[in-house]
Amino acid sequence: MNVARTYGNVVRRQIADKPKTASAMIRTGLYLESFRCAHFAEKKMPKAYRFLNSKAVGVVADALSHPETYAWTNIFAPTELLQTFGLSCVSVECLASYLSGFWLEDYFIDRAEDVGISSTLCSYHKNFIGAVESGVLPLPRLGVTTSVTCDGNIGTFRYMEQRFGVKNFILDIPQNWSPEAERYVVEQLRSLIQVLENATGRKYSEDALRETIHRENESKAHFSSALKKRISHSYPNTMTLVLFLLLATHLNIGSQWVLDFFRMLDEEIGTYPPDTGKRLFWVHTTPYSQPTLQSYLNYNDKCSIVCDDFNLDYMEEMDETHPLEALARKMICNIYNGSFERKAQACVKYAKEYQCDAAVEFCHWGCKQSAGGAILLKEEMRKAGIPMLILHGDSVDRRNNHDGQIRTRFEAFLEMLNRGQEATE
Amino acid sequence: MIGYVCKYTPVEVLRAMGADPVLMEPSVNDFNLADTLLYPNICSYVKSVLEDAAGKDYEGFVLTSCCDSVRRLYDVLRARYPKKFLFMLDLPRFASDAAAGLYAGQIRKMMEAYAAFSGRQFDENVLREIMLCNSQYRHPEYEPNDPNVLRIALVGNRCSNGLRNLMQNCGVKIVADLTCAGAEREFSPPAEGEDLILNYTKQLLKQMPCLRMGDISARQRHIDEVVSQTDGVIYHTVKFCDIYSYEYSTLHRRISVPLLKIETDTTPQCAGQIRTRVEAFLESLAAAKGIKPVDEKQKQRGENSVTVVGIDSGSTSTNAVVMNEKKEILASGSIRTGAKTSVSAEKILNDVLKKAGIARTDVSMIVSTGYGRVSIPFADKSVTEISCHAKGARYFCPHVRTILDIGGQDSKAIRLSETGEVEDFVMNDKCAAGTGRFLEAMARTLELDISELGPVSLKSQETVEISSMCTVFAESEVISLIAQNKEKADIAKGVHRAIAGKACSLLSRVGGEPTYMMTGGVAKNQGVVQAVEEKLGAKLFLCKDPEIVGAVGAALFGLESFEKA
Ligand code: SF4
Ligand code: SF4
Ligand code: SF4
């Protein structure tokens, strides 16, 4: 019997009448999970990932337990800056995934649709909205979002402001870099600083931001080095870990624990045996609860996710001496911002650089930016000689996945890859 | 003619350059091209714009970076029409002076690009004049209230003129139009002493904000004010556009006047369904206000030889073949898949073995394929239907490069290499669209046996369009065609063309090339085959028993494992 599901069922019974109790149970569940990961994790899980796993769950549990220190952000927000104000950043996608970990997503998604939210909206957003509507998620200090890529963000954050009074700050990010565009964003960051000063009663410290960015640069350097080693070494992971990695590469980047994690990762990968399986480059979100893909991708030495576009969306070194400009540049030049060509080129570059045999894009239900470009990306990959599979499904809502369809496509794709290899041998 | 989609497009600047900007408000019958190039779940409006771009002779397109759907539209247009004028303005989300400065820079770049493309120059005076003229505009919401006329506010994202006309034909007055590009464009005379383009841009950005903008407080105030003076609000959204549903959600809590939410997808059949809903809404409002309705009417084998069986367990039918080591088919058969996959598989296995005169104990290997392949306990091995179809198709047609398989509940296109390996495949199995089940439903509606549908359609004389691919919607479309006294033959042909459209969209997504082969039960339908051939402009190779191709492939995989051993 699935423990999370059983626990989730108990929580579910509380939601309608005692949302506060349900909320407390979710926090407790997360703390238990964090403890379990630190002490009784699966044997196959590498040490660095154990650390990440435990931290990823722990920081979110802490944030939810101390709402005054937490902020809702999207994945592209300047979380470095928020950290210097003592705020811990949790994204919509992250919260939604955690709730789905408790098998509660159906409840919340239905709830969001009931209040008039479009059923075709991305289910990360619907899950999140439904949880807030149900009173299960505590309200944070403020929300900070950007206009990078996702249509849902601005709408969802503004909705939270209108419905629940959660102050919201929108960063408008131009599509392409130019000196004026950078200035435009820096100006907005300055306004954000004021908002943060008022909200927290703390003073902005440029030194603190420089140190954060310094740790970020070091972390990314370790990450790149680790990925280079990953070319010749296997390193077991799961789809969930690919997701948790986002907490390190985005939401908490620049923090000391993230730097510790990337150091561990960089040291540990070299100790693993060579990778003999099929190496996949993943595009967009991982449907971590999808049974077929779990059976093929989690801890499988025949086939594994080597890296993904989300975690590699901005790998440039940042200029510590001009921290705000560096943050502005990071958001403008992110591969998820601007024309799809930028992202497609980056995906091809990383897939080649890290010697992936094939690419898989999971078109998550409701995500227009990713799905809309899938066919273009496949064409770019084809030109580079990298076969690509496009899967359709839902990373959050279990009801929205057809296991049979996913199985047939994925197995046929593997058969195709394996036969391709036999043919060349 | 330059197509544009957004009210923040510098239309007046384009006019002042001698261009002819037109707001794209397409109405389309299908999304076959868009589904191939974009993705089915992209906003329907954007999909229709892509269809429209292919159908009309536009000089180019000017887009704004409105939303994810439009941004992907730009990427696709750019790849598809490298010779046309295409420009995407990066629209800021704020109307601040800093934002206006950036946007004015974008507009100047567009002007340079258009001048270089067309050789036309910007005439400042024309822009000034347009701005002056537009400053005379009077708001309809402040016109006097006529007690015999319904006052309606139309709010939401872009909607077609069809909807506006429908409302007007019902005798209502649209007192406020807060849809994309719905409102009249207003400008104040250009400010003296300020750069004209900058001044124009500032004004352009200060229009009533749409939901895509960062600060929408002015919009909210305006809506509250207008709504209180109306009898009802029609909230319009486009299918697969989500950004407006937030406003709807907050609005329906906030306002006290009746509110109708409608969602359209730019196709005429959708308009038909909407009609009923809008009319019913207006009728109820009219009744409440004591206004009389405008129009009452509207409503084989040796001792130690190898024998294998391939079983293809599909969602509608289960097919099996018995094959000897010389790759000869000894027997084949097909039955409907019942409630339990394993039971149907067991039954067909016994049937074909009996036909072939072979005992179960003499079978060397059983290979399963199809959706139910994992649920057949006695199978020795299972292979996906993609691989099996590829193998099976090569058996019948050694030169085949592209396979179109239309089964009961799914359809797929598979591209093979010269040596017969699967290079790529795409499937459509989310819904019944373009599948055998769809045909069955249509045949039922036409009161024909499924086997009659093909022959009947070959007698067609007149073109009838079936635009909806959703079984439910298409059914009602067919019913209304019957009501219009259309010939069964023509409707049947229309149904086949609709299927062919979907099929060709799959074929082009997979990058198909000849020789084409069609497999699956539907390949027996001459009407569909003809429609696909017409649309594709190429012949389809057909085999005698198109349903057994997958099972043949499975049997061949079985034989292969003996060759290896
Ligand atoms: S999956 Fe797509 S739509 Fe959903 S939150 Fe992520 S970027 Fe936005
Ligand atoms: S939503 Fe706004 S930005 Fe988008 S097309 Fe409509 S008016 Fe333009
Ligand atoms: S209808 Fe919505 S998704 Fe479509 S173009 Fe307009 S804003 Fe974008």
Side-chain angles (χ1 to χ4, degrees):
Chain A
M1 189 64 196
N2 187 314
V3 185
R5 187 175 193 171
T6 315
Y7 191 80
N9 274 332
V10 182
V11 179
R12 182 188 295 258
R13 274 179 240 126
Q14 305 297 324
I15 303 172
D17 300 326
K18 299 184 192 130
K20 286 224 163 62
T21 311
S23 178
M25 289 180 70
I26 287 174
R27 290 193 302 268
T28 310
L30 291 173
Y31 278 125
L32 289 173
E33 177 63 12
S34 169
F35 181 78
R36 191 191 63 85
C37 295
H39 302 279
F40 309 103
E42 291 109 315
K43 294 244 160 21
K44 294 179 218 151
M45 196 188 283
K47 206 170 92 235
Y49 278 155
R50 266 183 231 182
F51 177 68
L52 171 68
N53 200 346
S54 159
K55 271 289 187 190
V57 183
V59 289
V60 172
D62 283 345
L64 297 181
S65 311
H66 307 279
E68 68 288 355
T69 67
Y70 106 110
W72 285 335
T73 63
N74 77 331
I75 213 96
F76 307 107
T79 54
E80 299 89 336
L81 183 61
L82 275 76
Q83 285 174 43
T84 65
F85 284 92
L87 292 167
S88 65
C89 305
V90 188
S91 74
V92 169
E93 295 90 336
C94 160
L95 285 167
S97 302
Y98 283 40
L99 293 168
S100 163
F102 289 103
W103 297 70
L104 293 170
E105 79 278 7
D106 55 336
Y107 185 96
F108 297 133
I109 289 170
D110 290 349
R111 177 79 187 237
E113 290 178 10
D114 287 348
V115 302
I117 296 298
S118 164
S119 61
T120 57
L121 176 69
C122 161
S123 38
Y124 286 103
H125 286 266
K126 282 189 290 181
N127 196 5
F128 171 77
I129 292 171
V132 180
E133 285 278 350
S134 316
V136 169
L137 280 180
L139 300 178
R141 228 323 123 69
L142 82 169
V144 176
T145 191
T146 70
S147 65
V148 175
T149 224
C150 171
D151 278 347
N153 282 313
I154 289 183
T156 298
F157 281 70
R158 185 159 60 206
Y159 180 85
M160 291 301 159
E161 184 166 37
Q162 290 174 348
R163 278 275 291 146
F164 303 101
V166 177
K167 189 164 174 44
N168 175 34
F169 193 94
I170 300 171
L171 284 157
D172 182 25
I173 310 298
Q175 301 268 297
N176 296 302
W177 187 89
S178 67
E180 304 86 60
E182 187 177 294
R183 271 200 301 279
Y184 178 60
V185 178
V186 168
E187 278 315 309
Q188 297 179 60
L189 287 170
R190 293 220 164 88
S191 315
L192 173 59
I193 290 175
Q194 273 177 5
V195 168
L196 293 171
E197 288 187 334
N198 291 337
T200 61
R202 292 202 195 186
K203 274 252 127 326
Y204 167 61
S205 152
E206 188 158 296
D207 286 340
L209 185 58
R210 281 204 184 106
E211 284 159 25
T212 308
I213 291 180
H214 182 77
R215 284 189 296 268
E216 169 160 7
N217 283 333
E218 266 189 89
S219 302
K220 293 256 169 94
H222 281 297
F223 187 29
S224 293
S225 154
L227 285 169
K228 279 202 195 78
K229 294 179 187 160
R230 179 73 175 79
I231 296 173
S232 41
H233 296 274
S234 60
Y235 197 66
N237 68 350
T238 64
M239 288 187 286
T240 307
L241 289 165
V242 174
L243 191 81
F244 282 160
L245 196 54
L246 285 170
L247 276 95
T249 54
H250 289 77
L251 298 174
N252 300 278
I253 187 81
S255 68
Q256 187 58 46
W257 77 259
V258 167
L259 177 56
D260 294 342
F261 159 70
F262 280 114
R263 250 190 219 127
M264 277 163 90
L265 185 77
D266 192 10
E267 280 164 14
E268 199 183 17
I269 289 192
T271 65
Y272 276 77
D275 191 356
T276 52
K278 290 282 166 236
R279 301 165 56 83
L280 302 180
F281 181 83
W282 200 264
V283 185
H284 208 50
T285 56
T286 51
Y288 71 92
S289 62
Q290 210 291 317
T292 292
L293 293 174
Q294 280 178 335
S295 70
Y296 276 100
L297 294 168
N298 292 357
Y299 303 127
N300 188 340
D301 45 14
K302 292 204 187 71
C303 151
S304 64
I305 300 176
V306 171
C307 53
D308 66 299
D309 65 331
F310 238 150
N311 281 298
L312 293 168
D313 64 346
Y314 188 78
M315 295 296 282
E316 310 308 314
E317 183 167 342
M318 295 168 72
D319 181 359
E320 291 160 30
T321 57
H322 297 90
L324 293 182
E325 286 74 13
L327 289 178
R329 217 185 163 97
K330 180 180 173 190
M331 291 186 276
I332 301 170
C333 300
N334 190 292
I335 65 171
Y336 268 87
N337 196 36
S339 133
F340 195 79
E341 205 181 312
R342 194 192 288 174
K343 174 170 150 173
Q345 283 169 355
C347 287
V348 169
K349 171 181 160 250
Y350 289 128
K352 277 183 167 163
E353 188 170 330
Y354 298 123
Q355 301 185 14
C356 297
D357 300 301
V360 180
E361 169 156 354
F362 190 77
C363 289
H364 167 67
W365 169 254
C367 181
K368 319 287 187 285
Q369 58 86 9
S370 130
I375 293 162
L376 292 170
L377 179 59
K378 186 166 173 171
E379 181 56 24
E380 285 302 309
M381 289 282 181
R382 192 192 58 77
K383 283 189 205 146
I386 303 170
M388 177 169 144
L389 174 71
I390 300 173
L391 291 173
H392 306 274
D394 197 310
S395 296
V396 179
D397 191 349
R398 289 176 177 80
R399 298 169 299 180
N400 224 354
N401 283 325
H402 187 318
D403 190 57
Q405 292 172 8
I406 292 179
R407 178 175 290 276
T408 303
R409 285 176 170 85
F410 197 77
E411 287 183 357
F413 187 64
L414 285 182
E415 284 168 6
M416 181 178 115
L417 291 179
N418 288 328
R419 243 172 291 130
Q421 190 182 28
E422 279 169 27
T424 54
E425 275 167 12
Chain B
M1 187 168 73
I2 291 195
Y4 74 94
V5 302
C6 169
K7 71 179 180 196
Y8 294 101
T9 311
V11 176
E12 292 73 16
V13 169
L14 285 164
R15 289 218 173 93
M17 291 189 78
D20 171 26
V22 284
L23 177 65
M24 298 179 82
E25 284 194 313
S27 165
V28 302
N29 281 323
D30 58 59
F31 299 115
N32 291 340
L33 179 69
D35 286 351
T36 312
L37 296 171
L38 274 158
Y39 180 74
N41 293 359
I42 291 283
C43 143
S44 307
Y45 170 71
V46 156
K47 291 198 292 188
S48 69
V49 164
L50 189 59
E51 298 285 345
D52 194 48
K56 286 193 197 135
D57 194 20
Y58 286 99
E59 179 189 5
F61 312 92
V62 174
L63 307 176
T64 58
S65 57
C66 161
C67 56
D68 291 332
S69 294
V70 171
R71 285 197 285 263
R72 292 304 159 255
L73 170 67
Y74 170 79
D75 294 318
V76 170
L77 286 173
R78 200 171 56 159
R80 202 170 159 87
Y81 301 110
K83 295 215 178 79
K84 296 203 178 201
F85 180 68
L86 181 63
F87 200 92
M88 183 160 76
L89 294 144
D90 188 6
L91 175 66
R93 303 209 179 224
F94 295 104
S96 64
D97 284 356
L102 269 185
Y103 199 44
Q106 291 276 318
I107 292 177
R108 287 197 188 91
K109 276 197 187 142
M110 177 201 80
M111 292 163 72
E112 277 166 31
Y114 187 63
F117 175 84
S118 66
R120 299 193 183 118
Q121 294 305 323
F122 172 62
D123 185 341
E124 219 185 287
N125 293 325
V126 178
L127 180 59
R128 277 182 203 282
E129 235 167 73
I130 301 177
M131 289 171 78
L132 267 173
C133 277
N134 283 358
S135 63
Q136 326 270 319
Y137 179 73
R138 243 181 88 224
H139 284 266
E141 57 256 41
Y142 304 116
E143 284 173 17
N145 194 348
D146 175 344
N148 290 316
V149 172
L150 282 178
R151 293 165 66 86
I152 300 289
L154 181 58
V155 190
N157 55 8
R158 64 186 64 258
C159 79
S160 66
N161 267 327
L163 182 62
R164 291 192 190 97
N165 293 341
L166 167 64
M167 291 164 70
Q168 270 148 3
N169 290 342
C170 292
V172 305
K173 190 174 188 79
I174 304 176
V175 293
D177 188 333
L178 274 137
T179 58
C180 290
E184 291 299 324
R185 299 172 76 90
E186 288 176 72
F187 291 94
S188 314
E192 290 304 323
E194 190 172 30
D195 174 89
L196 181 64
I197 296 293
L198 183 63
N199 181 267
Y200 168 82
T201 310
K202 282 183 181 164
Q203 295 199 37
L204 189 64
L205 286 178
K206 291 213 165 89
Q207 297 178 80
M208 188 56 68
C210 66
L211 259 261
R212 186 257 185 206
M213 288 305 183
D215 179 6
I216 57 163
S217 47
R219 177 185 175 96
Q220 284 169 337
R221 282 195 302 272
H222 182 69
I223 291 180
D224 288 342
E225 194 188 316
V226 179
V227 159
S228 63
Q229 301 168 34
T230 61
D231 299 306
V233 176
I234 293 191
Y235 201 95
H236 176 262
T237 60
V238 170
K239 189 142 187 64
F240 295 114
C241 168
D242 313 317
I243 63 182
Y244 278 82
S245 74
Y246 298 101
E247 184 175 65
Y248 166 75
S249 171
T250 48
L251 202 62
H252 90 105
R253 285 195 185 93
R254 203 166 75 222
I255 64 171
S256 51
V257 301
L259 174 67
L260 172 75
K261 185 187 180 200
I262 51 173
E263 192 172 78
T264 63
D265 69 358
T266 77
T267 63
Q269 90 278 355
C270 177
Q273 291 150 18
I274 295 299
R275 169 172 217 113
T276 320
R277 302 187 50 200
V278 171
E279 284 174 356
F281 179 68
L282 296 177
E283 277 163 17
S284 71
L285 295 183
K289 204 176 174 182
I291 305 172
K292 280 240 237 30
V294 189
D295 185 351
E296 291 278 8
K297 273 190 298 203
Q298 287 196 16
K299 321 257 171 199
Q300 235 145 31
R301 62 162 251 133
E303 268 296 302
N304 298 309
S305 66
V306 174
T307 307
V308 293
V309 177
I311 301 180
D312 180 354
S313 167
S315 48
T316 16
S317 68
T318 303
N319 309 296
V321 297
V322 187
M323 196 180 260
N324 64 15
E325 55 191 340
K326 292 188 221 139
K327 297 189 183 163
E328 291 165 332
I329 297 172
L330 305 180
S332 68
S334 176
I335 54 166
R336 268 192 101 80
T337 306
K340 232 172 158 238
T341 311
S342 56
V343 177
S344 316
E346 180 77 43
K347 180 162 184 318
I348 192 75
L349 174 66
N350 294 332
D351 288 359
V352 288
L353 288 178
K354 197 163 157 213
K355 260 197 218 169
I358 290 170
R360 177 92 174 247
T361 46
D362 291 323
V363 173
S364 324
M365 184 183 246
I366 299 174
V367 181
S368 66
T369 184
Y371 270 135
R373 68 185 181 284
V374 285
S375 317
I376 301 174
F378 52 82
D380 303 296
K381 179 178 170 163
S382 86
V383 185
T384 69
E385 58 268 41
I386 303 284
S387 301
C388 287
H389 269 274
K391 186 140 305 256
R394 291 274 293 188
Y395 174 86
F396 292 105
C397 172
H399 302 298
V400 63
R401 293 299 296 275
T402 312
I403 304 162
L404 170 66
D405 174 70
I406 304 186
Q409 289 197 22
D410 66 12
S411 46
K412 48 189 166 286
I414 308 168
R415 190 181 80 221
L416 305 180
S417 68
E418 259 167 19
T419 55
E421 304 296 348
V422 177
E423 278 188 326
D424 200 358
F425 64 91
V426 286
M427 294 176 79
N428 161 47
D429 43 12
K430 270 249 170 323
C431 63
T435 66
R437 208 170 54 175
F438 178 80
L439 280 177
E440 280 181 19
M442 295 305 117
R444 223 182 300 121
T445 316
L446 284 169
E447 295 177 325
L448 289 173
D449 183 69
I450 182 75
S451 61
E452 293 167 44
L453 201 58
V456 164
S457 75
L458 299 177
K459 298 194 192 103
S460 165
Q461 305 278 343
E462 192 201 340
T463 309
V464 164
E465 280 304 332
I466 310 283
S467 41
S468 181
M469 283 305 296
C470 169
T471 318
V472 181
F473 293 160
E475 232 162 354
S476 52
E477 230 186 311
V478 168
I479 292 172
S480 69
L481 288 167
I482 297 174
Q484 289 167 36
N485 272 327
K486 295 279 179 203
E487 293 297 329
K488 276 189 184 176
D490 299 327
I491 303 176
K493 175 99 193 206
V495 167
H496 294 155
R497 264 202 308 273
I499 296 253
K502 276 270 158 191
C504 290
S505 148
L506 281 181
L507 287 171
S508 84
R509 261 164 69 191
V510 82
E513 52 182 292
T515 305
Y516 291 97
M517 175 170 178
M518 184 168 167
T519 63
V522 175
K524 283 181 161 167
N525 179 326
Q526 259 302 315
V528 173
V529 173
Q530 198 186 59
V532 174
E533 290 184 333
E534 273 170 19
K535 182 120 200 160
L536 191 64
K539 279 268 162 212
L540 292 172
F541 176 91
L542 299 166
C543 59
K544 196 170 128 271
D545 281 318
E547 317 93 304
I548 63 162
V549 174
V552 167
L556 291 166
F557 272 111
L559 285 180
E560 266 183 23
S561 45
F562 286 99
E563 283 162 20
K564 277 180 193 155

